[in-house]
């Protein structure tokens, strides 16, 4: 239930004129100023009837579908020119699977699905940090009932449903994309290299052996109560201190980590899945930031791709699966005569 | 019969006041407030000795509780103060012997009392009273909002259902403003004015006034208002010839209302002026309908739900005109046949 409360602010008012006269005006000497505020502690469905609740849920779903459908075929009078831009997406980690190359080597890939990814906002160089322009991208629809009005403002301006994860990609100055444009997995093609950033699985407070891979001590042969301890903590008498940054036990995981230079092996356009090489940080169904790689070896290859950036409104019909040239397509016969 | 006399009195007053000096809006309000206070004091002085009345409570959980209160002085609000703080803050309307009663109106005889809140199982009466109060607040905000050079005449506060989407207030603005269309920014500044009134938590003081007093309160104003005063709620009741009118004061604004309003402005929390539509040329100029949306303090909506309601409140609300205007024009225009009945003055 809502209630009126009083917020007491420390008010640095005019100096107290107590010296001149005995009585001082209350307003001048008042150090505390009460500002009446309204405290709301309610969940969104508290005051709604049952049929109103179901109506709100249903109408939200319909509104999302309408918004996404409206963005699929943007109007012809798009004033924003389509330029090449450093690609970036928000994806969901599905799981891992094995792949084989044509020479018979086995690798593992992680499948990343792009769900409801839309461009939210474009920030020019001046607005962002003065050096590079930025593009805000959001992925995976979420409920507006658990977002504040200020968060919803950006989504409302772009005309898209509210997103679970909103990330910022640094892009080149001419990479202006209209807010509300949907992004698909086909933005990345097999053969490109990506960096994937996500929050690692939280392990809690962990010891030094799990956290930093210390060797520990032997299990037997006279060790007294010392099997997984860090051992020595530094050089000794000369510095006579423990250096800052000494590896010690502490909270492990639940931090953002990036896996660099992952090759894209395959892209499925029907389900919007990208198959990237190796493992990526994060648990299953977590949201990741997928970006063109920064590694110098692969940056050149990514700048001049052999194909243009993919936009939905082009008439080209992409095949359902795009495979890398080295990848063995498992549905085809292995031996051809 | 009494109505006809009153309306004839109106005609004569109109003729006489046409030549009188027109006060500024602020002075006019001050004068009305002074007349209201005088009438309030006079009605209170009708009970010089404190007499006791017995008030039986009909509140769930407190059925049959007997309160001994003062006649002509105690209000349902003071009865609630004998209970707990929750009753004081959450009561919006009272039911005295089954009749809707303003919370700050004094009780004149032994009766049964029940206090209504917004969270009751059947909040129909409270909701209607709340809608009426929000419309009255809107009228007050509009009168305060414009500069002194422009006149704002309140036409009426039409009785709309809560389910229609928005409460309305029909106004006629100064002819200089005929070309003015409110922008988003002006609607927001009107909302700010309303929020300030809500923040001040002013009570709506009710007063049952006899027709001559009502005339005195609203005399010395322009023609429009004098006529509108009786249209704006009592249009439907002209033929029933009421002996008293319910007049309410909020701050220094006095208005007439067709039914009881809620206790105080602080009961509203979310309040927004959503639109001002043009209704077209009418008898007194360009009629405009100002619409708004509001929710009480105990029933605040999430911003997503509020936005949905607001988008509906922006659409024009059709008010069934019915027989109100025709009835008034019949009684206001003098009958063609010469007056047989001598005027009673």
């Amino acid at each position: 239930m809502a209630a009126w409360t009083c917020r007491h602010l420390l008010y640095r008012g005019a100096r107290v004129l107590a010296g001149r006269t005995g009585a001082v005006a209350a307003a001048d000497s008042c150090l505390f100023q009460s500002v009446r505020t309204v405290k709301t502690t309610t969940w969104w469905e508290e005051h709604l009837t049952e049929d109103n609740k179901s109506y709100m849920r249903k109408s939200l779903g319909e509104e999302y579908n309408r918004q996404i459908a409206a963005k699929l075929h943007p109007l012809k009078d798009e004033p924003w020119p389509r330029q090449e831009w450093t690609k970036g997406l928000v994806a969901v980690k599905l799981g891992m699977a094995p792949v084989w190359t044509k020479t018979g080597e086995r690798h593992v890939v992680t499948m990343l699905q792009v769900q409801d990814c839309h461009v939210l906002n474009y920030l020019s160089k001046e607005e962002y940090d003065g050096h590079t322009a930025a593009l805000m991208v959001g992925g995976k629809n979420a409920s507006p009932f658990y977002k504040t009005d200020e968060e919803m403002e950006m989504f409302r301006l772009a005309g898209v449903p509210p997103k679970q994860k909103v990330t910022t990609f640094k892009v080149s100055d001419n990479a202006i994309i209209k807010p509300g444009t949907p992004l698909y997995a086909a933005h990345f093609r097999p053969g490109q290299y990506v960096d994937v950033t996500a929050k690692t699985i939280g392990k809690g407070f962990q010891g030094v052996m799990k956290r930093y891979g210390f060797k520990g001590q032997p299990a037997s042969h006279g060790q007294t109560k010392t099997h997984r301890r860090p051992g020595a903590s530094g050089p000794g008498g000369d510095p006579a201190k423990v250096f800052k940054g000494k590896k010690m036990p502490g909270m492990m995981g639940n931090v953002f980590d990036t896996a660099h230079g992952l090759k894209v092996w395959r892209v499925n356009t029907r389900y919007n899945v990208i198959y990237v090489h190796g493992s990526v940080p994060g648990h299953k169904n977590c949201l990741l930031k997928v970006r063109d790689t920064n590694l110098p070896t692969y940056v050149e290859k990514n700048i001049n791709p052999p194909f243009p950036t993919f936009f939905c409104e082009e008439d080209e019909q992409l095949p359902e699966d795009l495979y890398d040239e080295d990848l063995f397509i498992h549905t085809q016969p292995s031996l051809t005569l | 019969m009494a109505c006809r006399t009153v309306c004839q009195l109106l005609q004569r007053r109109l003729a006489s006041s046409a030549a009188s000096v027109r006060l500024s809006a602020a002075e006019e309000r001050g004068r009305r407030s002074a007349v209201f206070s005088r009438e309030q004091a006079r009605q209170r002085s009708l009970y010089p000795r404190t007499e006791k009345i017995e008030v039986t409570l009909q509140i769930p959980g407190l059925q049959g509780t007997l309160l001994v209160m003062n006649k002509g002085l105690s209000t349902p609000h003071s009865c609630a103060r004998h209970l707990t703080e929750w009753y004081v803050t959450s009561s919006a309307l009272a039911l005295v012997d089954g009749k809707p009663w303003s919370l700050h109106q004094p009780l004149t005889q032994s009766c049964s009392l029940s206090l209504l809140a917004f969270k009751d199982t059947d909040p129909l009466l409270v909701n209607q009273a709340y809608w009426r109060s929000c419309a009255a607040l809107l009228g007050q905000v509009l009168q305060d909002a414009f500069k002194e050079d422009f006149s704002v005449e309140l036409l009426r506060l039409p009785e709309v259902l809560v389910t229609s989407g928005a409460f309305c207030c029909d106004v006629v603005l100064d002819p200089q403003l005929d070309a003015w269309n409110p922008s988003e920014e002006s609607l927001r500044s009107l909302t700010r004015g309303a929020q300030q009134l809500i923040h001040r938590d002013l009570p709506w003081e009710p007063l049952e006034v006899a027709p001559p007093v009502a005339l005195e309160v609203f005399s010395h104003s322009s023609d429009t208002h004098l006529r509108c005063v009786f249209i704006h709620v009592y249009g439907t009741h002209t033929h029933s010839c009421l002996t008293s009118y319910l007049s309410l004061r909020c701050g220094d604004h006095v208005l007439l209302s067709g039914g009881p309003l809620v206790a105080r402005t602080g009961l509203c929390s979310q309040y927004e002026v959503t639109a001002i539509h043009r209704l077209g040329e009418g008898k007194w100029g360009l009629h405009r309908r100002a619409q708004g949306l509001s929710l009480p303090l105990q029933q605040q909506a999430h911003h997503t739900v509020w936005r949905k309601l607001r988008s509906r409140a922006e659409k024009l609300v059709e008010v069934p005109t019915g027989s109100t205007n025709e009835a008034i024009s019949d009684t206001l225009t003098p009958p063609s046949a010469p007056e047989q009945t001598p005027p009673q003055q």
Side-chain angles (χ1 to χ4, degrees), chain B residues 143-173:
Chain B
Q143 282 180 320
D144 276 338
F146 290 89
K147 289 187 182 160
E148 284 290 329
D149 315 326
F150 304 114
S151 67
V152 177
E153 297 299 343
L154 216 60
L155 278 187
R156 63 173 182 156
L157 304 169
E159 191 78 16
V160 282
L161 290 176
V162 177
T163 48
S164 61
F167 49 82
C168 327
C169 174
D170 289 350
V171 285
V172 166
L173 300 175

Side-chain angles (χ1 to χ4, degrees), chain A residues 36 40 47 145 147 156, chain B residues 199 298 300 302-303 307:
Chain A
R36 202 171 184 181
T40 41
H47 303 294
F145 298 121
K147 294 218 179 292
R156 234 175 269 133
Chain B
H199 191 91
Q298 288 90 5
Q300 297 197 335
H302 190 265
H303 57 82
R307 259 170 216 284

Side-chain angles (χ1 to χ4, degrees), chain B residues 18-190:
Chain B
S20 62
V21 173
R22 192 162 162 212
L23 300 169
S24 77
E27 286 167 357
E28 179 64 31
R29 281 203 295 274
R31 195 198 61 82
R32 282 189 204 156
S33 185
V35 174
F36 188 94
S37 308
R38 208 175 59 221
E39 177 64 18
Q40 209 175 32
R42 188 196 70 84
Q43 287 199 3
R44 218 173 282 151
S45 67
L46 290 173
Y47 305 96
R49 275 179 313 128
T50 316
E51 287 171 27
K52 292 294 184 187
I53 51 170
E54 289 177 352
V55 176
T56 331
L57 290 179
Q58 302 289 334
I59 299 166
L62 292 166
Q63 290 281 354
T65 312
L66 196 70
L67 293 175
V68 179
M69 311 297 291
N70 299 324
K71 183 172 180 174
L73 201 64
S74 304
T75 58
H77 178 78
S78 37
C79 296
R81 284 175 71 186
H82 278 284
L83 306 171
T84 60
E85 194 189 340
W86 186 85
Y87 286 104
V88 174
T89 45
S90 71
S91 306
L93 202 64
L95 268 184
V96 168
D97 288 334
K99 231 176 34 146
W101 198 270
S102 276
L103 216 59
H104 290 290
Q105 196 168 350
L107 299 162
T108 47
Q109 56 190 22
S110 299
C111 53
S112 72
L113 174 75
S114 85
L115 296 166
L116 305 176
F118 291 107
K119 296 261 210 166
D120 292 342
T121 41
D122 186 23
L124 195 70
L125 281 170
V126 189
N127 287 350
Q128 275 308 120
Y130 183 72
W131 225 230
R132 241 176 271 135
S133 326
C134 294
L137 200 71
L138 183 58
Q140 192 169 341
V141 163
L142 283 168
Q143 282 180 320
D144 276 338
F146 290 89
K147 289 187 182 160
E148 284 290 329
D149 315 326
F150 304 114
S151 67
V152 177
E153 297 299 343
L154 216 60
L155 278 187
R156 63 173 182 156
L157 304 169
E159 191 78 16
V160 282
L161 290 176
V162 177
T163 48
S164 61
F167 49 82
C168 327
C169 174
D170 289 350
V171 285
V172 166
L173 300 175
D174 202 276
Q176 297 168 53
L177 293 172
D178 269 353
W180 174 76
N181 265 328
S183 62
E184 279 294 321
E185 198 47 58
S186 28
L187 288 177
R188 245 177 269 145
S189 68
L190 287 170

Side-chain angles (χ1 to χ4, degrees), chain A residues 38-76:
Chain A
V38 179
K39 194 171 64 167
T40 41
T41 47
T42 177
W43 55 100
W44 71 274
E45 45 195 23
E46 185 181 2
H47 303 294
L48 298 183
T49 53
E50 286 299 327
D51 48 344
N52 277 343
K53 274 184 226 174
S54 51
Y55 169 75
M56 280 302 303
R57 286 199 183 100
K58 205 159 56 115
S59 73
L60 265 182
E62 284 163 8
E63 203 182 308
Y64 281 13
N65 291 337
R66 250 183 292 129
Q67 279 175 329
I68 292 171
K71 297 296 172 193
L72 276 177
H73 301 285
L75 297 174
K76 288 269 189 277

Side-chain angles (χ1 to χ4, degrees), chain A residues 42-324:
Chain A
T42 177
W43 55 100
W44 71 274
E45 45 195 23
E46 185 181 2
H47 303 294
L48 298 183
T49 53
E50 286 299 327
D51 48 344
N52 277 343
K53 274 184 226 174
S54 51
Y55 169 75
M56 280 302 303
R57 286 199 183 100
K58 205 159 56 115
S59 73
L60 265 182
E62 284 163 8
E63 203 182 308
Y64 281 13
N65 291 337
R66 250 183 292 129
Q67 279 175 329
I68 292 171
K71 297 296 172 193
L72 276 177
H73 301 285
L75 297 174
K76 288 269 189 277
D77 60 347
E78 249 189 67
W80 302 40
R82 281 163 23 184
Q83 309 277 352
E84 299 305 318
W85 62 294
T86 322
K87 288 169 277 291
L89 288 176
V90 174
V92 174
K93 174 176 173 180
L94 294 180
M96 298 184 75
V99 290
W100 284 264
T101 59
K102 288 198 169 116
T103 48
E105 287 156 10
R106 182 185 183 274
H107 299 291
V108 277
V109 293
T110 317
M111 297 170 301
L112 313 175
Q113 185 176 36
V114 179
Q115 295 177 359
D116 300 315
C117 191
H118 285 94
V119 173
L120 298 176
N121 201 7
Y122 169 78
L123 301 163
S124 65
K125 194 165 69 169
E126 291 77 34
E127 285 168 355
Y128 186 55
D129 62 354
H131 299 290
T132 37
L135 205 69
M136 294 185 75
V137 175
K140 197 165 174 196
N141 291 341
S143 167
F145 298 121
Y146 302 100
K147 294 218 179 292
T148 58
D149 218 4
E150 294 76 22
E151 288 168 355
M152 286 293 293
E153 205 181 307
M154 187 167 55
F155 301 117
R156 234 175 269 133
L157 281 172
V160 292
K163 304 289 180 195
Q164 209 170 323
K165 185 175 171 77
V166 174
T167 45
T168 321
F169 293 95
K170 288 201 180 74
V171 291
S172 50
D173 288 340
N174 57 351
I176 306 172
I177 302 201
K178 192 173 177 192
T181 324
L183 299 175
Y184 301 96
H187 272 287
F188 290 104
R189 298 296 172 91
Q192 285 185 324
Y193 289 83
V194 295
D195 288 346
V196 178
T197 312
K199 238 187 187 176
T200 48
I201 298 177
K203 312 268 183 209
F205 196 101
Q206 287 300 337
V208 107
M209 277 180 79
K210 192 190 226 8
R211 205 174 177 212
Y212 295 115
F214 282 14
K215 269 187 82 175
Q217 289 83 27
S220 63
H221 290 301
Q223 317 299 318
T224 35
K225 304 194 293 185
T226 317
H227 305 290
R228 300 182 66 89
R229 297 178 74 182
S233 61
D238 189 14
K241 67 171 186 177
V242 177
F243 291 120
K244 274 203 201 305
K246 173 83 191 66
K247 293 182 185 174
M248 285 185 168
M251 288 293 181
M252 180 182 170
N254 204 27
V255 289
F256 283 106
D257 192 21
T258 313
H260 297 274
L262 303 175
K263 180 173 174 180
V264 173
W265 282 107
R266 172 183 167 185
V267 171
N268 184 306
T269 47
R270 189 167 154 212
Y271 295 105
N272 275 321
V273 181
I274 308 171
Y275 292 67
V276 293
H277 184 86
S279 60
V280 301
H283 54 85
K284 285 208 236 315
N285 295 318
C286 77
L287 286 161
L288 328 138
K289 174 179 175 177
V290 183
R291 193 194 63 214
D292 258 356
T293 197
N294 279 341
L295 296 177
T297 351
Y298 304 123
V299 158
E300 274 180 19
K301 275 193 207 166
N302 283 344
I303 275 181
N304 301 316
F307 38 77
T309 322
F310 174 69
F311 283 98
C312 181
E313 61 266 21
E314 285 174 359
D315 286 331
E316 61 166 285
Q317 287 295 320
L318 281 176
E320 192 183 325
D321 274 301
L322 300 161
Y323 297 94
D324 183 52

